[in-house]
């Protein structure tokens, strides 16, 4: 049916917009809340929202409780660690550059899957990694900012975040093959919010909290975090992880566009050329013609308490 054919592409576009908008929103919130406070705030909002949605769904809560130790590992790799690093990077760079660097995640995924899952690394994928690394070099070399030690540390934070996302994706495939999208989203956010409690206690917000940054954190939690991850896990359940990875191509485009139009971030040739080269490398890493062997592997558990 037309609706079913359009559902997954439409969901991908929505996730790309939600996750892309998170970068400029972090740029608004992080100077006030700090990197840790921004991340923890959005995770708490997301966890509360998802808990309300799943309040009467016994199977979801049972799945979260049964796998909570695994969710702690997933949360560290997939949200608490990388989101804090991304917020740190945005403070040192800007949302456009941070989002483009974040698009290197599939390059790390190829290498990690090759080492961990013993997946064969083809010449095409190896070429994609090399092209992507070239794009990072062009992006950093043509940055519209002074690339001092602080900026280079921010670049490193972005790349480490991308590596953690890749580890989280591989770990999800190994540890949560029979977990519903709702349980994945809820368990991940609850575990991440718990992990950051002691960190927030020793890293309070550096500035007095005002309405603008507070609204940004709430929107981050409801949209990019709760809504974005729930839809993303649904895409994996319907079309498999290969199709879901296409969101990587959409996020830096939407993030850069919003950053330029809303925050007035500068556009340079290095930014544009670096974006194009990195996305070209990522495109080579994605083989959308391969059979969807992983299709629907993540939704064998009922999500509605039946």
């Amino acid at each position: 049916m037309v609706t079913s054919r359009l559902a997954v592409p439409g969901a991908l576009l929505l996730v790309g917009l939600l996750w892309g908008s998170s970068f400029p929103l972090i740029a608004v919130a992080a100077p006030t809340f700090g990197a840790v406070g921004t991340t923890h705030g959005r995770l708490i909002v997301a966890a509360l929202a998802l808990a309300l949605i799943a309040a009467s769904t016994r199977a979801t809560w049972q799945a979260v409780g049964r796998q909570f130790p695994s969710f702690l590992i997933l949360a560290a790799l997939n949200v608490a660690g990388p989101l804090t690093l991304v917020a740190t990077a945005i403070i040192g760079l800007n949302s456009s550059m941070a989002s483009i660097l974040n698009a290197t995640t599939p390059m790390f995924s190829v290498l990690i899957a090759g080492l961990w899952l013993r997946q064969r690394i083809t010449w095409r994928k190896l070429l994609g990694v090399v092209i992507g690394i070239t794009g990072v070099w062009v992006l950093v070399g043509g940055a519209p900012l002074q690339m001092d030690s602080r900026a280079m540390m921010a670049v490193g934070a972005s790349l480490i975040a991308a590596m953690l996302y890749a580890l989280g994706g591989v770990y999800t495939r190994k540890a949560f093959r029979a977990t519903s999208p709702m349980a994945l989203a809820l368990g991940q956010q609850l575990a991440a919010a718990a992990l950051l409690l002691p960190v927030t206690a020793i890293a309070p917000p550096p500035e007095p909290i005002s309405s603008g940054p507070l609204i940004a954190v709430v929107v981050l939690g409801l949209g990019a975090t709760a809504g974005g991850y729930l839809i993303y896990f649904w895409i994996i359940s319907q079309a498999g992880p290969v199709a879901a990875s296409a969101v990587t191509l959409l996020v830096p485009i939407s993030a850069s566009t919003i950053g330029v139009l809303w925050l007035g971030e500068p556009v340079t040739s290095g930014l544009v050329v670096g974006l194009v080269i990195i996305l070209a490398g990522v495109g080579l890493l994605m083989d959308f013609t391969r059979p969807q062997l992983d299709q629907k592997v993540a939704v064998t558990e009922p999500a509605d308490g039946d």
Side-chain angles (χ1 to χ4, degrees):
M1 291 198 252
V2 175
T3 302
S4 60
R5 286 202 304 267
L6 296 179
V8 170
L12 277 168
L13 289 172
L14 180 56
V15 174
L17 180 60
L18 288 172
W19 284 358
S21 68
S22 71
F23 287 85
L25 285 169
I26 292 170
V28 172
T32 295
F33 282 91
V36 174
T38 300
T39 303
H40 200 193
R42 67 186 288 189
L43 291 174
I44 291 173
V45 171
L48 290 173
L50 291 169
L52 288 173
I53 295 172
S56 61
T57 312
R58 187 175 60 181
T60 297
W61 288 99
Q62 288 175 339
V64 171
R66 186 169 59 248
Q67 297 176 279
F68 199 72
S70 297
F71 275 120
L72 288 171
I73 298 173
L74 177 65
L77 294 174
N78 215 36
V79 279
L83 289 181
T84 301
L85 287 169
V86 166
T88 302
I90 290 174
I91 294 173
L93 299 171
N94 59 39
S95 64
S96 299
M97 281 195 66
S99 67
I100 296 170
L101 289 169
N102 195 245
T104 60
T105 297
M107 302 172 201
F108 290 104
S109 297
V110 166
L111 299 176
I112 291 169
L115 294 172
W116 193 353
L117 303 179
R118 304 297 182 188
Q119 291 184 358
R120 187 168 65 93
I121 301 177
T122 64
W123 282 107
R124 172 179 167 168
K125 290 184 177 180
L126 189 59
L127 178 61
V129 172
V130 172
I131 290 175
I133 292 172
T134 303
V136 171
W137 178 77
V138 171
L139 176 69
V140 173
L145 303 166
Q146 182 180 353
M147 295 308 293
D148 53 15
S149 58
R150 180 188 178 198
M152 292 307 296
M153 287 180 64
V155 170
S158 280
L159 295 175
I160 294 172
M163 183 185 69
L164 289 177
Y165 279 131
L167 282 167
V170 174
Y171 182 73
T172 300
R173 293 184 64 183
K174 288 184 69 69
F176 297 96
R177 297 182 66 87
T179 305
S180 71
M182 174 57 81
L184 270 170
L186 176 61
Q188 178 180 255
Q189 307 314 326
L190 287 173
L195 281 175
L196 284 180
L197 274 174
V199 185
T200 302
I202 60 175
E207 301 287 342
I209 297 173
S210 56
S211 59
L214 182 61
I215 292 171
V217 168
V218 172
V219 173
L220 274 168
L222 295 176
T225 315
Y229 275 106
L230 188 57
I231 298 168
Y232 178 72
F233 288 136
W234 177 85
I235 295 170
I236 292 178
S237 74
Q238 297 299 307
V242 177
S245 64
V247 74
T248 309
L249 297 169
L250 303 173
V251 170
I253 296 173
S254 61
S256 299
T257 301
I258 296 170
V260 169
L261 296 179
W262 180 28
L263 301 180
E265 294 179 349
V267 181
T268 65
S269 58
L271 184 76
V272 175
V273 174
L275 171 63
V276 171
I277 294 175
I278 289 173
L279 293 187
V282 171
L284 287 174
L285 300 176
M286 297 180 181
D287 184 6
F288 293 107
T289 63
R290 62 177 262 191
Q292 296 294 317
L293 298 178
D294 296 316
Q295 187 168 344
K296 294 186 180 293
V297 295
V299 285
T300 57
E301 179 182 65
D304 56 2
D306 287 350

